[in-house]
Amino acid sequence: MKSAGVVLFAGFAGITTSMLLALLWAPSVSIDAFESPAAQRIFYWHVPAAWAAFIAFGALFIGSAGWLFKRSERMWRLHVAGSEAGLATGLMTVWSGCVWGAAEWGTPWDWTDVRLNTFGLLTLLAIYVVLGRNSQPDGVETRDTFAAFGLYGFVLVPLTYIATRIWTIRHPGPVVGTDDGGSINGDMGLVLLFSAVSFTVLIVGHMMASMRLTLLEQKLQRLQAKTDRVV
């Protein structure tokens, strides 16, 4: 748990630093290109949060598959950690995107944009898995049910990625990793990279702590069951 705390602290420190850099150091964008140029600075939170969410949903997929096919307790703990981390970063992404949309588009959400809706469904999936699992007693049937949702829901991840390239409506397309080298300059890219690394560190620390906490909860439940049998 101590190592998880260190990683979490490093992630929080990095995110705080990246936000300060985004507000105070990163260059401004062209006023002619945006309705609300100042709101663009939330980009340094929004994009890395989405990146971290995809990592979390990837962990949820692996953990779900590991439980369904291997009955691995460790993989179940990864399922729990991935769903909780996906919920946290998914909500960060949706919230920051709504702030940007309200300022730039005049509406926080566009129901006709495929990418917005597929990512929204991903976040709703995480909400359902986390709240549903916490409301049900732990057991094989409960685990199988929510692991299945985690496994099949992962199809939304590649669909969301594809939507950025072929179904762009309001949401901008990719700004890095494109054939023309991207649409951001060096200083902006540096801040974005630093923020992405910070969010990655944060999400890894979050999942480490969650897996450790789930392990302790399982030990406590087994101890409680033994105590009840003795009594």
Side-chain angles (χ1 to χ4, degrees), residues 36-56:
S36 181
Q40 178 268 345
R41 293 183 182 276
I42 207 168
F43 160 86
Y44 299 103
W45 173 286
H46 178 71
V47 174
W51 161 256
F54 285 145
I55 295 176

Side-chain angles (χ1 to χ4, degrees), residues 82-99:
S83 63
E84 293 175 347
L87 174 57
T89 50
L91 290 175
M92 290 180 193
T93 305
V94 170
W95 168 81
S96 56
C98 287
V99 171

Side-chain angles (χ1 to χ4, degrees), residues 1 15 23-24 43 51 56 61 67 81 88 92 97 106 109 111 118 128-129 139 150 162 176 182 186 194 196 202 224:
M1 188 68 77
I15 289 173
L23 293 172
L24 304 175
F43 160 86
W51 161 256
F61 173 80
W67 167 255
M92 290 180 193
W109 199 269
W111 294 103
T118 55
Y128 173 76
V129 170
I162 292 171
V176 293
F194 182 80
L202 176 72
Q224 183 64 51

Side-chain angles (χ1 to χ4, degrees), residues 27-183:
S28 298
V29 297
S30 171
I31 295 178
D32 296 332
F34 293 93
E35 294 293 330
S36 181
Q40 178 268 345
R41 293 183 182 276
I42 207 168
F43 160 86
Y44 299 103
W45 173 286
H46 178 71
V47 174
W51 161 256
F54 285 145
I55 295 176
F57 286 120
L60 173 61
F61 173 80
I62 294 171
S64 298
W67 167 255
L68 285 173
F69 299 117
K70 297 292 185 180
R71 296 304 193 202
S72 168
E73 289 289 336
R74 183 177 180 83
M75 288 296 99
W76 174 250
R77 294 195 293 272
L78 182 61
H79 162 94
V80 173
S83 63
E84 293 175 347
L87 174 57
T89 50
L91 290 175
M92 290 180 193
T93 305
V94 170
W95 168 81
S96 56
C98 287
V99 171
W100 159 262
E104 181 65 23
W105 305 332
T107 178
W109 199 269
D110 184 349
W111 294 103
T112 66
D113 194 295
V114 176
R115 180 181 185 175
L116 296 182
N117 294 316
T118 55
F119 194 92
L121 287 173
L122 265 176
T123 305
L124 288 175
L125 171 70
I127 293 174
Y128 173 76
V129 170
V130 172
L131 295 183
R133 188 184 61 245
N134 289 335
S135 67
Q136 301 294 322
D138 188 25
V140 173
E141 291 185 358
T142 298
R143 293 185 179 189
D144 286 349
T145 298
F146 292 109
F149 275 102
L151 192 66
Y152 293 115
F154 185 77
V155 71
L156 290 168
V157 172
L159 183 60
T160 301
Y161 177 79
I162 292 171
T164 65
R165 297 181 178 273
I166 64 176
W167 290 321
T168 298
I169 299 176
R170 280 188 188 266
H171 195 287
V175 295
V176 293
T178 57
D179 294 336
D180 60 1
S183 59

Side-chain angles (χ1 to χ4, degrees), residues 171-203:
H171 195 287
V175 295
V176 293
T178 57
D179 294 336
D180 60 1
S183 59
I184 58 177
N185 67 28
D187 291 341
M188 295 173 72
L190 184 62
V191 177
L192 179 63
L193 176 61
F194 182 80
S195 185
V197 171
S198 299
F199 266 93
T200 302
V201 172
L202 176 72
I203 210 66

